[in-house]
Amino acid sequence: MESLQALGVSGPAETLYLDLLQNPGSTPDALTARYGDIEACLAELTALGLVERADGSLVVRPPRLAMDAVAERHISRAALARESADLLTELWKTAAGKQDYLEVLPTYDAAQSVLNLVQTDAQVQVRAMTMGNIAARELRIVEGLFDALRRGVRYDVIYGAHVLQDAGALHLVQECIDAGEQARVFPHVPLNITIVDERWALVGARTEVRRGPEFVALVVHDSPLLGGLERIFEALWRIAVPITSRTELNDVTAGPSLEAKRLLTYLSAGLTDESIAREFGVSERTIARRIGRLQEALGAQTRFQLGVQASRQGWL
């Protein structure tokens, strides 16, 4: 039996109580003779209302009444703990809100307004990555992007594969690349981040909850958190696959290697044969043959091996 121990009663006290239940006439002297000093145990049982001293003897109270009283005390303490948790949480939120390096943006429009400031505020470099969870019709080049590029601002952008699987979205991405943006693709971008120089960042993500889509965004100023976001970006940038510009692709002197590079880029981005065929303006069967020739040329048995070998050869 461990029900009393679950309430914090010691093992010896529980043993003493079970003895009293089975031998209600036991005196303190008789119990002391069997168990030694029982005062500490009796104090525990008395505090729970299970045992009462009366005229030098020990009286065992009805257990249900005693346990019901204990349960009520625990219920009251639980309610007090919940109230305290609510109060302390509010105090914690207030204190967290006073941090001068973190600003919570309550709406999507507020986040979009901050994003529109990126182009004019950037002085040296913009590093960004997008999850690719937006439709092509919503993907638009932010006003001032090309002006910022002409001013000498460097743009490094990591796109999620979903953006490149849509023809319209891919067309807009290529326009940015042709204007001077350095772009790469990564299959699973964890969240949307835009880092302006090394001064501040906009972080946003759209999540699905029971009541529908919810957009969460915040601005992070110079802080250890901003440094962590920069390291996340740089880690993904190193393993992401570069996207070839249309200028390179249209260079007839470059030969078929650029076509192969474009094909490998799309494969690494996770595009299906159907999507790649549409981009090349050929049939899926033609794409399959080209992939087969690349595998043969690089000694790759699978498409995964093809990507590994292509990276080793510097084709990506």
Side-chain angles (χ1 to χ4, degrees), residues 156-181:
D156 294 336
V157 183
I158 302 173
Y159 292 96
H162 289 88
V163 168
L164 303 186
Q165 289 172 349
D166 185 285
L170 182 58
H171 175 75
L172 292 176
V173 170
Q174 290 285 187
E175 285 191 18
C176 294
I177 295 172
D178 292 343
E181 175 183 288

Short mmCIF file of all heavy atoms in Angstrom, two decimals, residues 156-181:
data_model
loop_
_atom_site.label_atom_id
_atom_site.label_comp_id
_atom_site.label_asym_id
_atom_site.label_seq_id
_atom_site.Cartn_x
_atom_site.Cartn_y
_atom_site.Cartn_z
N ASP A 156 21.34 38.12 -50.40
CA ASP A 156 21.49 36.66 -50.37
C ASP A 156 20.17 36.09 -49.89
O ASP A 156 19.74 36.37 -48.76
CB ASP A 156 22.62 36.25 -49.42
CG ASP A 156 23.98 36.71 -49.90
OD1 ASP A 156 24.13 36.92 -51.11
OD2 ASP A 156 24.89 36.85 -49.07
N VAL A 157 19.53 35.29 -50.73
CA VAL A 157 18.19 34.79 -50.40
C VAL A 157 18.13 33.28 -50.57
O VAL A 157 18.58 32.74 -51.58
CB VAL A 157 17.11 35.45 -51.30
CG1 VAL A 157 15.72 34.98 -50.89
CG2 VAL A 157 17.20 36.97 -51.20
N ILE A 158 17.56 32.61 -49.57
CA ILE A 158 17.33 31.17 -49.63
C ILE A 158 15.82 30.96 -49.81
O ILE A 158 15.02 31.41 -48.99
CB ILE A 158 17.78 30.46 -48.34
CG1 ILE A 158 19.27 30.72 -48.09
CG2 ILE A 158 17.51 28.96 -48.44
CD1 ILE A 158 19.75 30.19 -46.74
N TYR A 159 15.45 30.27 -50.89
CA TYR A 159 14.05 30.00 -51.17
C TYR A 159 13.70 28.55 -50.83
O TYR A 159 14.49 27.64 -51.07
CB TYR A 159 13.73 30.23 -52.65
CG TYR A 159 13.81 31.68 -53.07
CD1 TYR A 159 14.97 32.20 -53.64
CD2 TYR A 159 12.72 32.53 -52.89
CE1 TYR A 159 15.05 33.53 -54.03
CE2 TYR A 159 12.79 33.87 -53.26
CZ TYR A 159 13.96 34.35 -53.84
OH TYR A 159 14.03 35.67 -54.21
N GLY A 160 12.52 28.36 -50.26
CA GLY A 160 12.03 27.01 -50.06
C GLY A 160 11.65 26.40 -51.40
O GLY A 160 11.30 27.11 -52.35
N ALA A 161 11.70 25.09 -51.48
CA ALA A 161 11.45 24.41 -52.75
C ALA A 161 10.05 24.68 -53.28
O ALA A 161 9.83 24.68 -54.49
CB ALA A 161 11.67 22.91 -52.59
N HIS A 162 9.08 24.94 -52.40
CA HIS A 162 7.71 25.15 -52.86
C HIS A 162 7.58 26.38 -53.74
O HIS A 162 6.75 26.42 -54.65
CB HIS A 162 6.77 25.27 -51.66
CG HIS A 162 6.55 23.98 -50.94
ND1 HIS A 162 7.37 23.56 -49.93
CD2 HIS A 162 5.63 23.02 -51.12
CE1 HIS A 162 6.95 22.38 -49.49
NE2 HIS A 162 5.91 22.03 -50.19
N VAL A 163 8.41 27.40 -53.48
CA VAL A 163 8.35 28.61 -54.32
C VAL A 163 8.76 28.25 -55.74
O VAL A 163 8.14 28.69 -56.71
CB VAL A 163 9.28 29.69 -53.74
CG1 VAL A 163 9.47 30.82 -54.75
CG2 VAL A 163 8.72 30.25 -52.45
N LEU A 164 9.80 27.43 -55.89
CA LEU A 164 10.32 27.12 -57.20
C LEU A 164 9.48 26.09 -57.95
O LEU A 164 9.70 25.85 -59.13
CB LEU A 164 11.76 26.61 -57.08
CG LEU A 164 12.73 27.56 -56.39
CD1 LEU A 164 14.14 27.02 -56.46
CD2 LEU A 164 12.67 28.95 -57.00
N GLN A 165 8.53 25.47 -57.28
CA GLN A 165 7.67 24.50 -57.95
C GLN A 165 6.49 25.17 -58.65
O GLN A 165 5.69 24.49 -59.28
CB GLN A 165 7.16 23.46 -56.93
CG GLN A 165 8.27 22.52 -56.45
CD GLN A 165 7.82 21.62 -55.32
OE1 GLN A 165 6.76 21.82 -54.74
NE2 GLN A 165 8.64 20.64 -54.99
N ASP A 166 6.39 26.48 -58.51
CA ASP A 166 5.32 27.23 -59.17
C ASP A 166 5.95 28.09 -60.26
O ASP A 166 6.88 28.85 -60.01
CB ASP A 166 4.59 28.10 -58.14
CG ASP A 166 3.40 28.81 -58.76
OD1 ASP A 166 3.61 29.79 -59.51
OD2 ASP A 166 2.27 28.38 -58.50
N ALA A 167 5.44 27.98 -61.48
CA ALA A 167 6.05 28.66 -62.62
C ALA A 167 6.08 30.18 -62.42
O ALA A 167 7.08 30.84 -62.71
CB ALA A 167 5.30 28.30 -63.90
N GLY A 168 4.97 30.74 -61.92
CA GLY A 168 4.92 32.18 -61.72
C GLY A 168 5.89 32.65 -60.66
O GLY A 168 6.58 33.67 -60.83
N ALA A 169 5.97 31.91 -59.57
CA ALA A 169 6.90 32.27 -58.51
C ALA A 169 8.33 32.16 -58.99
O ALA A 169 9.17 33.02 -58.71
CB ALA A 169 6.68 31.36 -57.29
N LEU A 170 8.63 31.10 -59.75
CA LEU A 170 9.98 30.91 -60.27
C LEU A 170 10.37 32.05 -61.21
O LEU A 170 11.52 32.51 -61.22
CB LEU A 170 10.08 29.57 -60.99
CG LEU A 170 11.46 29.21 -61.55
CD1 LEU A 170 12.51 29.19 -60.44
CD2 LEU A 170 11.41 27.87 -62.26
N HIS A 171 9.42 32.53 -62.00
CA HIS A 171 9.69 33.64 -62.92
C HIS A 171 10.10 34.89 -62.14
O HIS A 171 11.07 35.58 -62.51
CB HIS A 171 8.44 33.93 -63.76
CG HIS A 171 8.59 35.14 -64.64
ND1 HIS A 171 9.34 35.13 -65.80
CD2 HIS A 171 8.09 36.40 -64.52
CE1 HIS A 171 9.29 36.33 -66.36
NE2 HIS A 171 8.54 37.10 -65.60
N LEU A 172 9.41 35.17 -61.03
CA LEU A 172 9.74 36.34 -60.23
C LEU A 172 11.09 36.18 -59.54
O LEU A 172 11.87 37.13 -59.42
CB LEU A 172 8.65 36.59 -59.18
CG LEU A 172 7.29 37.02 -59.75
CD1 LEU A 172 6.27 37.15 -58.64
CD2 LEU A 172 7.42 38.35 -60.50
N VAL A 173 11.38 34.97 -59.10
CA VAL A 173 12.69 34.70 -58.50
C VAL A 173 13.80 34.94 -59.51
O VAL A 173 14.82 35.55 -59.21
CB VAL A 173 12.74 33.25 -57.95
CG1 VAL A 173 14.17 32.88 -57.56
CG2 VAL A 173 11.81 33.10 -56.76
N GLN A 174 13.59 34.49 -60.75
CA GLN A 174 14.60 34.69 -61.79
C GLN A 174 14.80 36.18 -62.09
O GLN A 174 15.91 36.61 -62.36
CB GLN A 174 14.19 33.95 -63.07
CG GLN A 174 14.25 32.44 -62.98
CD GLN A 174 15.67 31.88 -63.04
OE1 GLN A 174 15.86 30.68 -63.11
NE2 GLN A 174 16.68 32.73 -63.00
N GLU A 175 13.74 36.96 -62.00
CA GLU A 175 13.90 38.40 -62.21
C GLU A 175 14.81 39.00 -61.15
O GLU A 175 15.66 39.86 -61.44
CB GLU A 175 12.53 39.09 -62.17
CG GLU A 175 11.69 38.87 -63.41
CD GLU A 175 10.48 39.79 -63.43
OE1 GLU A 175 10.49 40.80 -62.70
OE2 GLU A 175 9.54 39.51 -64.18
N CYS A 176 14.64 38.56 -59.91
CA CYS A 176 15.51 39.05 -58.83
C CYS A 176 16.96 38.64 -59.06
O CYS A 176 17.89 39.43 -58.85
CB CYS A 176 15.02 38.51 -57.49
SG CYS A 176 13.40 39.11 -56.97
N ILE A 177 17.14 37.39 -59.49
CA ILE A 177 18.50 36.89 -59.73
C ILE A 177 19.15 37.67 -60.86
O ILE A 177 20.32 38.06 -60.78
CB ILE A 177 18.46 35.39 -60.06
CG1 ILE A 177 17.96 34.60 -58.85
CG2 ILE A 177 19.83 34.89 -60.48
CD1 ILE A 177 17.72 33.14 -59.13
N ASP A 178 18.40 37.90 -61.94
CA ASP A 178 18.94 38.63 -63.09
C ASP A 178 19.32 40.06 -62.70
O ASP A 178 20.20 40.67 -63.31
CB ASP A 178 17.94 38.65 -64.23
CG ASP A 178 17.74 37.27 -64.84
OD1 ASP A 178 18.61 36.40 -64.60
OD2 ASP A 178 16.73 37.05 -65.53
N ALA A 179 18.65 40.60 -61.66
CA ALA A 179 18.95 41.96 -61.22
C ALA A 179 20.16 42.01 -60.30
O ALA A 179 20.62 43.11 -59.95
CB ALA A 179 17.73 42.56 -60.50
N GLY A 180 20.66 40.84 -59.90
CA GLY A 180 21.87 40.83 -59.07
C GLY A 180 21.74 40.08 -57.76
O GLY A 180 22.71 39.98 -57.00
N GLU A 181 20.56 39.58 -57.47
CA GLU A 181 20.38 38.84 -56.22
C GLU A 181 21.11 37.49 -56.28
O GLU A 181 21.12 36.82 -57.31
CB GLU A 181 18.88 38.61 -55.98
CG GLU A 181 18.55 37.74 -54.78
CD GLU A 181 17.05 37.52 -54.66
OE1 GLU A 181 16.34 38.48 -54.31
OE2 GLU A 181 16.58 36.40 -54.96
#
